[in-house]
Amino acid sequence: MGDTTVTTLEGRNEATPQPVAEEKAGHNLLRRVRAPRRPRLWFEILLIAVSYWTYSLIRNAVPEQRREALRNADWIWRLEHHLGIAVEESVNHAVNSATWLIIGMNYYYATLHFVVTLGVLVWLYRRHPGRYAAARLALFATTAVALLGYYFFPLAPPRLMTGGTFVDTVTVHETWGSMASGDLKHMSNQYAAMPSMHIGWSLWCGLTIFALASAPWARILGLLYPAATLMVIVATANHFWLDAVGGMLCLAFGFLVARLWYGALPYRLPQWVPDTGAAQNLPAKT
């Protein structure tokens, strides 16, 4: 269809192919790039390490605009009072009265954010390789768009608000439950509370487990994980409720990016895909 012929004085000669063939080749290349494929372990380890290093570098390079961050925190607090949801202070004080509980929450905040997310990525890699790349793209896009929030809307966490009565549970109980408290506070931008990636990542984990796990108890745990994380970030005075909303919006953006690129949500893609290297070595059909 893309070739035409012209008649000359010397006879009937075949003309050069039209751009239709080149456009079709470009379309096929794009389709191959966007198609789910089996991930490569070495590439994934390198990609995750470099991506997280870059994310941390950019996040912590955002200027710590203390005055603006405190002003934004006061504005968020007033808005939540207006909406009738400003109960973070009560939750913080109530949970802080149970020492064993708040210490556990401090360690939860410090560790599970990374451990569970990496665990879900490994599980996807091993058990759902066809869905892995799309789910990973949703997570990466979620994290990337969060950087815009850190830059354009610096926000102090409740525990750093001036004139407030929030308890910095890490400092009070001398635990290492936050990179932004105690001796580690100089290693992290303390005024990057909006959006909450603890919520963005935990909700990504929870939805992934709920959508793909076969065991009912695992699906239930998947739903409970982001709910527990929400309680932890509020009880430890690291985030407002609205920070969690920001994390959810970032995750919605991440899933939209994955949907547009792969043509379907990650969980609707095939579980297994052929090895691209093996496919390339198969003899061509005649």
Side-chain angles (χ1 to χ4, degrees):
M1 296 295 294
D3 296 344
T4 61
T5 57
V6 296
T7 303
T8 64
L9 293 177
E10 290 76 18
R12 186 179 179 86
N13 297 327
E14 186 174 352
T16 57
Q18 297 299 307
V20 175
E22 297 179 1
E23 293 177 3
K24 184 177 180 180
H27 176 73
N28 290 337
L29 175 61
L30 180 61
R31 185 172 59 183
R32 286 197 299 270
V33 170
R34 296 172 63 183
R37 64 190 64 197
R38 184 177 296 274
R40 303 297 188 190
L41 181 60
W42 67 267
F43 176 78
E44 294 303 324
I45 294 176
L46 180 63
L47 179 63
I48 292 173
V50 171
S51 298
Y52 184 73
W53 175 80
T54 304
Y55 164 76
S56 300
L57 185 67
I58 296 174
R59 180 182 186 274
N60 297 333
V62 174
E64 291 195 0
Q65 305 173 59
R66 182 176 183 274
R67 181 176 301 179
E68 184 177 357
L70 291 172
R71 184 167 59 248
N72 288 337
D74 290 336
W75 180 81
I76 288 286
W77 193 228
R78 289 195 304 270
L79 175 61
E80 288 196 350
H81 274 90
H82 177 72
L83 297 174
I85 60 173
V87 296
E88 292 94 330
E89 195 171 42
S90 299
V91 174
N92 174 237
H93 289 180
V95 178
N96 184 65
S97 63
T99 302
W100 64 271
L101 180 58
I102 195 62
I103 289 178
M105 285 189 172
N106 285 340
Y107 290 127
Y108 179 115
Y109 187 88
T111 59
L112 293 191
H113 179 52
F114 305 101
V115 173
V116 175
T117 305
L118 287 175
V120 173
L121 281 170
V122 171
W123 175 65
L124 282 172
Y125 178 88
R126 292 177 57 87
R127 301 297 299 273
H128 299 268
R131 297 158 178 158
Y132 173 87
R136 184 244 292 145
L137 176 60
L139 179 66
F140 279 26
T142 298
T143 307
V145 76
L147 295 172
L148 298 178
Y150 302 148
Y151 186 87
F152 290 106
F153 192 78
L155 180 67
R159 59 186 175 77
L160 293 182
M161 290 180 64
T162 57
T165 60
F166 284 96
V167 178
D168 187 338
T169 60
V170 173
T171 301
V172 169
H173 298 282
E174 299 182 347
T175 56
W176 46 272
S178 172
M179 287 290 290
S181 297
D183 296 334
L184 299 176
K185 65 183 180 181
H186 300 298
M187 298 175 60
S188 179
N189 184 354
Q190 298 188 80
Y191 304 112
M194 171 66 85
S196 169
M197 280 298 93
H198 272 75
I199 291 300
W201 288 14
S202 67
L203 189 56
W204 175 86
C205 292
L207 291 175
T208 299
I209 295 172
F210 178 77
L212 301 180
S214 56
W217 62 266
R219 302 183 71 192
I220 293 174
L221 286 179
L223 294 180
L224 290 178
Y225 176 54
T229 300
L230 177 61
M231 179 59 66
V232 166
I233 67 172
V234 171
T236 57
N238 278 293
H239 289 284
F240 296 99
W241 296 122
L242 291 181
D243 299 344
V245 175
M248 295 176 190
L249 293 176
C250 288
L251 181 62
F253 172 82
F255 277 120
L256 176 62
V257 171
R259 172 67 175 81
L260 293 176
W261 182 255
Y262 287 98
L265 289 175
Y267 315 134
R268 298 185 65 85
L269 294 172
Q271 178 179 2
W272 302 99
V273 290
D275 185 12
T276 54
Q280 291 174 357
N281 294 328
L282 292 176
K285 293 183 179 181
T286 57

